[in-house]
Structures are given as structure tokens and as C-alpha cells.
Amino acid sequence: MSMKILKWITVVIGTLVVLGFLSVSYFMGGPKQLYGFLRYGATQMRPGSLQVGDKAPDVELVTLDGRSRFRLSERLGKRPLVLIFGSYT
């Protein structure tokens, strides 16, 4: 395969990757949301077994700014705690 064809294939694949990233970012609300989903959400996706009324599991949570983490058990019972789960649908 000649170098000219290889360069064109690389350009086409790179363009498709960038266009794919931009289109998914648009539908998810922006690049920050896509990055956050890929960094935190996609790695945690698995089927759950919780039912309505079950006690919340002790999980590690990340603050919105991404700089600090805390365990759910550290915050329960002290003050009201609100967890907001965004929707990408």
C-alpha cells in the first residue's frame, strides 16, 4: 500500500473520530458531560440488585467539581443529603 493511500485512510479515520466525539458531545450536553460519563459513569455500569426500600449501599462519591471524594456512610444521618442522578435520555 502506498504512503499516499495510508495518509488518506488516517485522515478519514481521524475525521470520523472527531465527528463522532462532537456529535455524542452535542447529544449529551457538551464535552464536559461526555468526559464525566466516560471517566466515572461508563466504568461503573453494571446491573444492580437493589429494590425499592433497600438501604443504600456504602459507595464512594465524587463531588461535582471532581476534586474531592467521600463515602456515603460519612454523610448519612448528620444533615439532609440530596443525591441528584442526571439523565442522558
Side-chain angles (χ1 to χ4, degrees):
M1 197 180 287
S2 72
M3 284 301 260
K4 192 172 186 177
I5 293 174
L6 192 59
K7 286 180 184 179
W8 275 107
I9 291 173
T10 304
V11 168
V12 168
I13 290 174
T15 303
L16 289 174
V17 167
V18 169
L19 288 175
F21 176 79
L22 292 175
S23 62
V24 172
S25 293
Y26 173 77
F27 288 112
M28 290 188 81
K32 277 187 169 182
Q33 282 76 14
L34 176 60
Y35 174 72
F37 172 74
L38 293 175
R39 183 171 179 196
Y40 301 111
T43 59
Q44 303 296 324
M45 291 178 66
R46 61 186 183 275
S49 61
L50 290 177
Q51 300 295 320
V52 174
D54 288 351
K55 186 176 177 182
D58 188 24
V59 294
E60 185 176 69
L61 302 169
V62 179
T63 58
L64 287 176
D65 62 8
R67 294 182 182 167
S68 60
R69 297 170 178 260
F70 63 92
R71 298 213 55 89
L72 187 58
S73 61
E74 296 170 359
R75 304 283 173 101
L76 287 177
K78 297 178 182 173
R79 298 187 324 191
L81 176 67
V82 177
L83 299 176
I84 300 172
F85 299 94
S87 174
Y88 292 103
T89 58

mmCIF file of all heavy atoms in Angstrom, residues 36-63:
data_model
loop_
_atom_site.group_PDB
_atom_site.id
_atom_site.type_symbol
_atom_site.label_atom_id
_atom_site.label_comp_id
_atom_site.label_asym_id
_atom_site.label_seq_id
_atom_site.Cartn_x
_atom_site.Cartn_y
_atom_site.Cartn_z
ATOM 1 N N GLY A 36 -17.115 13.321 31.685
ATOM 2 C CA GLY A 36 -17.525 12.820 33.002
ATOM 3 C C GLY A 36 -18.163 11.457 32.914
ATOM 4 O O GLY A 36 -17.906 10.579 33.743
ATOM 5 N N PHE A 37 -19.001 11.246 31.904
ATOM 6 C CA PHE A 37 -19.633 9.939 31.734
ATOM 7 C C PHE A 37 -18.597 8.870 31.437
ATOM 8 O O PHE A 37 -18.629 7.787 32.014
ATOM 9 C CB PHE A 37 -20.664 9.988 30.611
ATOM 10 C CG PHE A 37 -21.213 8.640 30.263
ATOM 11 C CD1 PHE A 37 -22.116 8.014 31.104
ATOM 12 C CD2 PHE A 37 -20.818 7.989 29.110
ATOM 13 C CE1 PHE A 37 -22.614 6.764 30.798
ATOM 14 C CE2 PHE A 37 -21.307 6.746 28.793
ATOM 15 C CZ PHE A 37 -22.211 6.131 29.655
ATOM 16 N N LEU A 38 -17.676 9.158 30.536
ATOM 17 C CA LEU A 38 -16.661 8.164 30.185
ATOM 18 C C LEU A 38 -15.727 7.879 31.350
ATOM 19 O O LEU A 38 -15.293 6.750 31.555
ATOM 20 C CB LEU A 38 -15.862 8.632 28.964
ATOM 21 C CG LEU A 38 -16.641 8.709 27.661
ATOM 22 C CD1 LEU A 38 -15.773 9.307 26.568
ATOM 23 C CD2 LEU A 38 -17.157 7.338 27.253
ATOM 24 N N ARG A 39 -15.428 8.910 32.152
ATOM 25 C CA ARG A 39 -14.495 8.732 33.266
ATOM 26 C C ARG A 39 -15.142 8.037 34.462
ATOM 27 O O ARG A 39 -14.533 7.177 35.090
ATOM 28 C CB ARG A 39 -13.955 10.086 33.700
ATOM 29 C CG ARG A 39 -12.935 9.978 34.791
ATOM 30 C CD ARG A 39 -12.267 11.293 35.044
ATOM 31 N NE ARG A 39 -11.316 11.144 36.129
ATOM 32 C CZ ARG A 39 -10.787 12.131 36.789
ATOM 33 N NH1 ARG A 39 -11.091 13.363 36.450
ATOM 34 N NH2 ARG A 39 -9.941 11.932 37.759
ATOM 35 N N TYR A 40 -16.361 8.434 34.795
ATOM 36 C CA TYR A 40 -16.987 7.918 36.018
ATOM 37 C C TYR A 40 -18.142 6.961 35.740
ATOM 38 O O TYR A 40 -18.304 5.978 36.438
ATOM 39 C CB TYR A 40 -17.493 9.074 36.881
ATOM 40 C CG TYR A 40 -16.410 10.018 37.286
ATOM 41 C CD1 TYR A 40 -16.358 11.304 36.790
ATOM 42 C CD2 TYR A 40 -15.405 9.613 38.159
ATOM 43 C CE1 TYR A 40 -15.351 12.175 37.155
ATOM 44 C CE2 TYR A 40 -14.388 10.477 38.522
ATOM 45 C CZ TYR A 40 -14.376 11.754 38.022
ATOM 46 O OH TYR A 40 -13.378 12.600 38.373
ATOM 47 N N GLY A 41 -18.978 7.287 34.767
ATOM 48 C CA GLY A 41 -20.202 6.518 34.555
ATOM 49 C C GLY A 41 -19.995 5.200 33.842
ATOM 50 O O GLY A 41 -20.499 4.160 34.270
ATOM 51 N N ALA A 42 -19.257 5.218 32.752
ATOM 52 C CA ALA A 42 -19.109 4.007 31.949
ATOM 53 C C ALA A 42 -18.365 2.911 32.704
ATOM 54 O O ALA A 42 -18.639 1.728 32.509
ATOM 55 C CB ALA A 42 -18.393 4.332 30.642
ATOM 56 N N THR A 43 -17.461 3.303 33.589
ATOM 57 C CA THR A 43 -16.701 2.283 34.327
ATOM 58 C C THR A 43 -17.526 1.643 35.429
ATOM 59 O O THR A 43 -17.175 0.573 35.914
ATOM 60 C CB THR A 43 -15.438 2.898 34.957
ATOM 61 O OG1 THR A 43 -15.826 3.949 35.841
ATOM 62 C CG2 THR A 43 -14.505 3.454 33.886
ATOM 63 N N GLN A 44 -18.630 2.292 35.845
ATOM 64 C CA GLN A 44 -19.449 1.787 36.940
ATOM 65 C C GLN A 44 -20.717 1.090 36.463
ATOM 66 O O GLN A 44 -21.504 0.636 37.283
ATOM 67 C CB GLN A 44 -19.832 2.941 37.876
ATOM 68 C CG GLN A 44 -18.660 3.693 38.435
ATOM 69 C CD GLN A 44 -17.795 2.834 39.333
ATOM 70 O OE1 GLN A 44 -18.298 1.994 40.061
ATOM 71 N NE2 GLN A 44 -16.496 3.020 39.260
ATOM 72 N N MET A 45 -20.951 1.024 35.168
ATOM 73 C CA MET A 45 -22.196 0.448 34.659
ATOM 74 C C MET A 45 -22.202 -1.063 34.841
ATOM 75 O O MET A 45 -21.328 -1.761 34.358
ATOM 76 C CB MET A 45 -22.376 0.812 33.187
ATOM 77 C CG MET A 45 -22.647 2.271 32.970
ATOM 78 S SD MET A 45 -22.791 2.720 31.248
ATOM 79 C CE MET A 45 -24.264 1.849 30.810
ATOM 80 N N ARG A 46 -23.202 -1.529 35.565
ATOM 81 C CA ARG A 46 -23.427 -2.960 35.734
ATOM 82 C C ARG A 46 -24.844 -3.127 36.250
ATOM 83 O O ARG A 46 -25.399 -2.228 36.879
ATOM 84 C CB ARG A 46 -22.413 -3.563 36.693
ATOM 85 C CG ARG A 46 -22.446 -2.991 38.085
ATOM 86 C CD ARG A 46 -21.299 -3.554 38.928
ATOM 87 N NE ARG A 46 -21.341 -3.080 40.274
ATOM 88 C CZ ARG A 46 -20.840 -1.949 40.710
ATOM 89 N NH1 ARG A 46 -20.236 -1.149 39.859
ATOM 90 N NH2 ARG A 46 -20.930 -1.598 41.971
ATOM 91 N N PRO A 47 -25.450 -4.273 36.011
ATOM 92 C CA PRO A 47 -26.818 -4.470 36.501
ATOM 93 C C PRO A 47 -26.841 -4.511 38.023
ATOM 94 O O PRO A 47 -25.941 -5.067 38.655
ATOM 95 C CB PRO A 47 -27.238 -5.809 35.898
ATOM 96 C CG PRO A 47 -25.985 -6.474 35.464
ATOM 97 C CD PRO A 47 -24.961 -5.405 35.243
ATOM 98 N N GLY A 48 -27.842 -3.904 38.609
ATOM 99 C CA GLY A 48 -27.942 -3.851 40.059
ATOM 100 C C GLY A 48 -29.003 -4.794 40.589
ATOM 101 O O GLY A 48 -29.819 -5.331 39.852
ATOM 102 N N SER A 49 -28.972 -4.986 41.894
ATOM 103 C CA SER A 49 -29.945 -5.876 42.522
ATOM 104 C C SER A 49 -30.756 -5.153 43.594
ATOM 105 O O SER A 49 -31.473 -5.797 44.352
ATOM 106 C CB SER A 49 -29.214 -7.067 43.141
ATOM 107 O OG SER A 49 -28.307 -6.623 44.125
ATOM 108 N N LEU A 50 -30.666 -3.831 43.674
ATOM 109 C CA LEU A 50 -31.410 -3.078 44.677
ATOM 110 C C LEU A 50 -32.893 -3.054 44.339
ATOM 111 O O LEU A 50 -33.274 -2.993 43.167
ATOM 112 C CB LEU A 50 -30.897 -1.646 44.772
ATOM 113 C CG LEU A 50 -29.522 -1.441 45.379
ATOM 114 C CD1 LEU A 50 -29.148 0.030 45.332
ATOM 115 C CD2 LEU A 50 -29.494 -1.951 46.801
ATOM 116 N N GLN A 51 -33.695 -3.097 45.379
ATOM 117 C CA GLN A 51 -35.143 -2.994 45.238
ATOM 118 C C GLN A 51 -35.613 -1.748 45.984
ATOM 119 O O GLN A 51 -34.902 -1.223 46.852
ATOM 120 C CB GLN A 51 -35.822 -4.243 45.820
ATOM 121 C CG GLN A 51 -35.411 -5.540 45.148
ATOM 122 C CD GLN A 51 -35.849 -5.606 43.702
ATOM 123 O OE1 GLN A 51 -36.935 -5.181 43.367
ATOM 124 N NE2 GLN A 51 -34.991 -6.126 42.840
ATOM 125 N N VAL A 52 -36.810 -1.294 45.686
ATOM 126 C CA VAL A 52 -37.378 -0.147 46.377
ATOM 127 C C VAL A 52 -37.459 -0.464 47.868
ATOM 128 O O VAL A 52 -37.925 -1.529 48.263
ATOM 129 C CB VAL A 52 -38.780 0.186 45.817
ATOM 130 C CG1 VAL A 52 -39.437 1.282 46.627
ATOM 131 C CG2 VAL A 52 -38.682 0.584 44.362
ATOM 132 N N GLY A 53 -36.958 0.443 48.693
ATOM 133 C CA GLY A 53 -36.975 0.258 50.138
ATOM 134 C C GLY A 53 -35.684 -0.292 50.706
ATOM 135 O O GLY A 53 -35.491 -0.286 51.920
ATOM 136 N N ASP A 54 -34.777 -0.777 49.855
ATOM 137 C CA ASP A 54 -33.483 -1.284 50.327
ATOM 138 C C ASP A 54 -32.625 -0.135 50.851
ATOM 139 O O ASP A 54 -32.740 1.003 50.398
ATOM 140 C CB ASP A 54 -32.715 -1.991 49.211
ATOM 141 C CG ASP A 54 -33.304 -3.336 48.848
ATOM 142 O OD1 ASP A 54 -34.202 -3.802 49.574
ATOM 143 O OD2 ASP A 54 -32.872 -3.909 47.834
ATOM 144 N N LYS A 55 -31.761 -0.443 51.797
ATOM 145 C CA LYS A 55 -30.812 0.541 52.300
ATOM 146 C C LYS A 55 -29.762 0.818 51.219
ATOM 147 O O LYS A 55 -29.305 -0.095 50.536
ATOM 148 C CB LYS A 55 -30.132 0.009 53.560
ATOM 149 C CG LYS A 55 -29.238 1.000 54.223
ATOM 150 C CD LYS A 55 -28.672 0.455 55.509
ATOM 151 C CE LYS A 55 -27.722 1.468 56.118
ATOM 152 N NZ LYS A 55 -27.116 0.988 57.343
ATOM 153 N N ALA A 56 -29.389 2.077 51.093
ATOM 154 C CA ALA A 56 -28.408 2.463 50.082
ATOM 155 C C ALA A 56 -27.051 1.844 50.407
ATOM 156 O O ALA A 56 -26.624 1.859 51.565
ATOM 157 C CB ALA A 56 -28.277 3.969 50.009
ATOM 158 N N PRO A 57 -26.358 1.300 49.415
ATOM 159 C CA PRO A 57 -25.027 0.744 49.679
ATOM 160 C C PRO A 57 -24.028 1.855 49.978
ATOM 161 O O PRO A 57 -24.207 2.995 49.553
ATOM 162 C CB PRO A 57 -24.676 0.027 48.380
ATOM 163 C CG PRO A 57 -25.512 0.675 47.341
ATOM 164 C CD PRO A 57 -26.750 1.160 48.024
ATOM 165 N N ASP A 58 -22.996 1.519 50.723
ATOM 166 C CA ASP A 58 -21.960 2.492 51.037
ATOM 167 C C ASP A 58 -21.023 2.603 49.837
ATOM 168 O O ASP A 58 -20.215 1.722 49.564
ATOM 169 C CB ASP A 58 -21.185 2.065 52.288
ATOM 170 C CG ASP A 58 -20.236 3.148 52.760
ATOM 171 O OD1 ASP A 58 -20.483 4.328 52.453
ATOM 172 O OD2 ASP A 58 -19.256 2.809 53.434
ATOM 173 N N VAL A 59 -21.157 3.687 49.107
ATOM 174 C CA VAL A 59 -20.377 3.893 47.893
ATOM 175 C C VAL A 59 -19.509 5.127 48.050
ATOM 176 O O VAL A 59 -19.772 5.991 48.884
ATOM 177 C CB VAL A 59 -21.285 4.057 46.659
ATOM 178 C CG1 VAL A 59 -22.039 2.787 46.364
ATOM 179 C CG2 VAL A 59 -22.251 5.202 46.838
ATOM 180 N N GLU A 60 -18.473 5.203 47.229
ATOM 181 C CA GLU A 60 -17.631 6.391 47.190
ATOM 182 C C GLU A 60 -18.169 7.305 46.105
ATOM 183 O O GLU A 60 -18.395 6.876 44.975
ATOM 184 C CB GLU A 60 -16.183 6.016 46.891
ATOM 185 C CG GLU A 60 -15.249 7.206 46.953
ATOM 186 C CD GLU A 60 -13.808 6.819 46.750
ATOM 187 O OE1 GLU A 60 -13.467 6.427 45.625
ATOM 188 O OE2 GLU A 60 -13.034 6.902 47.710
ATOM 189 N N LEU A 61 -18.383 8.569 46.451
ATOM 190 C CA LEU A 61 -18.944 9.540 45.524
ATOM 191 C C LEU A 61 -17.930 10.627 45.218
ATOM 192 O O LEU A 61 -17.045 10.907 46.021
ATOM 193 C CB LEU A 61 -20.209 10.157 46.128
ATOM 194 C CG LEU A 61 -21.304 9.157 46.495
ATOM 195 C CD1 LEU A 61 -22.386 9.835 47.317
ATOM 196 C CD2 LEU A 61 -21.891 8.537 45.254
ATOM 197 N N VAL A 62 -18.077 11.236 44.060
ATOM 198 C CA VAL A 62 -17.191 12.311 43.624
ATOM 199 C C VAL A 62 -18.000 13.595 43.576
ATOM 200 O O VAL A 62 -19.128 13.608 43.087
ATOM 201 C CB VAL A 62 -16.612 12.000 42.222
ATOM 202 C CG1 VAL A 62 -15.704 13.115 41.753
ATOM 203 C CG2 VAL A 62 -15.888 10.683 42.227
ATOM 204 N N THR A 63 -17.455 14.678 44.100
ATOM 205 C CA THR A 63 -18.148 15.958 44.063
ATOM 206 C C THR A 63 -18.242 16.465 42.631
ATOM 207 O O THR A 63 -17.536 15.988 41.735
ATOM 208 C CB THR A 63 -17.421 17.006 44.934
ATOM 209 O OG1 THR A 63 -16.092 17.138 44.459
ATOM 210 C CG2 THR A 63 -17.423 16.595 46.391
#
